[in-house]
Amino acid sequence: SLADSCKKEDFEKFIALYPGATVITYVNTTAEIKALSDISCTSSNAKQIVEYLPADKTIIFGPDRNLGNYIKGLTGRDMIIWNGTCHVHEKFSLEAILKLKKDNPGSKIIAHPECEMPVRIAADFIGSTSELLKFISRDDSNTFIVATEPGILHKMKIAKPEKNFIPAPPKDSTCGCSECNFMKMITLEKIYNSLKFESPEVKLDPEIIEKAAIPIKRMLEISEK
């Protein structure tokens, strides 16, 4: 859903409005969007990437507006944010999360930066998937309310089986809206068939491949520094 919220034609026009700006895009984008970008980033290294650029540099950041605004707030940099979102992180209910915290004394709210601002404000810790996993391992709390795709709870339970992990509830209690519809399309059978038959194959234009590799390599170069 995040990649779908940033179409090539629309993003191309958006970039043209701000000549000279450096374009940073999240890894959850299509190869076409990467081909229009200067640097890629992950939720783990977005702050580092932004702060690496000169302080007076104008930055276009996309597609996730929540992650972009979070990084903008941390760094105070001049960032123009594309209005895209991940359907999972837009669906959490702040009211339900706060009730869970009240019902579980001593618990901590941990959230991914793709969450909306009210959830981030309520959070005791904000971090990428890997940072959330590190936090629950080092923190003394016994119970965590987790505001990100609930698939991560499995890894958290493996890392700390003695602790309790509660998925943050969605605004609509009648659906599993906090689960990623697209991630849940992946099955063991599909993985098996892909490995065995090397199908389906994703084919890209060689020029797109070459251009899309540039921002990824740039990200890795900056991350190493």
Side-chain angles (χ1 to χ4, degrees):
S1 64
L2 188 53
D4 287 345
S5 72
C6 189
K7 302 294 186 185
K8 175 182 177 288
E9 298 76 14
D10 299 329
F11 197 58
E12 215 164 14
K13 292 175 185 175
F14 186 73
I15 292 171
L17 297 174
Y18 307 97
T22 296
V23 181
I24 300 176
T25 53
Y26 199 20
V27 289
N28 294 6
T29 51
T30 64
E32 286 183 323
I33 293 298
K34 289 182 177 69
L36 296 172
S37 308
D38 295 302
I39 315 172
S40 291
C41 75
T42 67
S43 55
S44 297
N45 65 23
K47 180 175 179 286
Q48 178 191 1
I49 299 292
V50 168
E51 290 184 331
Y52 179 82
L53 298 174
D56 60 348
K57 190 68 179 173
T58 299
I59 297 165
I60 292 173
F61 187 95
D64 192 275
R65 67 187 179 205
N66 294 317
L67 176 61
N69 283 314
Y70 173 67
I71 299 299
K72 184 176 182 178
L74 287 180
T75 62
R77 302 299 291 273
D78 180 14
M79 294 173 64
I80 302 154
I81 312 295
W82 175 262
N83 191 29
T85 60
C86 160
H87 81 87
V88 168
H89 295 92
E90 290 271 292
K91 295 291 193 294
F92 294 121
S93 166
L94 177 62
E95 184 181 1
I97 289 171
L98 293 176
K99 186 179 185 305
L100 270 177
K101 187 174 176 69
K102 184 179 178 181
D103 293 343
N104 293 272
S107 63
K108 286 188 178 175
I109 300 167
I110 59 175
H112 194 279
E114 286 181 36
C115 291
E116 292 180 311
M117 185 181 286
V119 174
R120 297 201 309 269
I121 290 172
D124 297 288
F125 179 78
I126 302 168
S128 65
T129 302
S130 60
E131 289 166 345
L132 294 179
L133 284 166
K134 289 175 185 174
F135 181 77
I136 61 101
S137 294
R138 69 172 184 262
D139 191 79
D140 292 335
S141 300
N142 190 53
T143 301
F144 299 89
I145 300 158
V146 185
T148 191
E149 215 288 330
I152 194 177
L153 268 67
H154 176 68
K155 293 203 74 173
M156 288 180 169
K157 204 65 185 172
I158 290 174
K160 287 290 176 179
E162 73 279 10
K163 295 189 177 185
N164 303 310
F165 304 101
I166 307 170
K171 295 170 186 173
D172 183 356
S173 61
T174 65
C175 71
C177 304
S178 60
E179 294 189 351
C180 178
N181 300 337
F182 303 98
M183 290 167 70
K184 293 299 181 281
M185 291 170 69
I186 301 168
T187 65
L188 285 174
E189 184 180 7
K190 288 178 181 178
I191 294 170
Y192 172 82
N193 287 329
S194 294
L195 291 170
K196 186 174 178 64
F197 303 109
E198 297 188 355
S199 174
E201 183 179 359
V202 178
K203 296 185 179 180
L204 294 172
D205 183 285
E207 186 179 352
I208 292 290
I209 293 173
E210 188 176 347
K211 287 181 178 179
I214 294 171
I216 297 172
K217 290 176 180 176
R218 187 73 180 121
M219 173 186 71
L220 295 174
E221 287 170 5
I222 295 171
S223 293
E224 285 178 0
K225 297 174 182 177

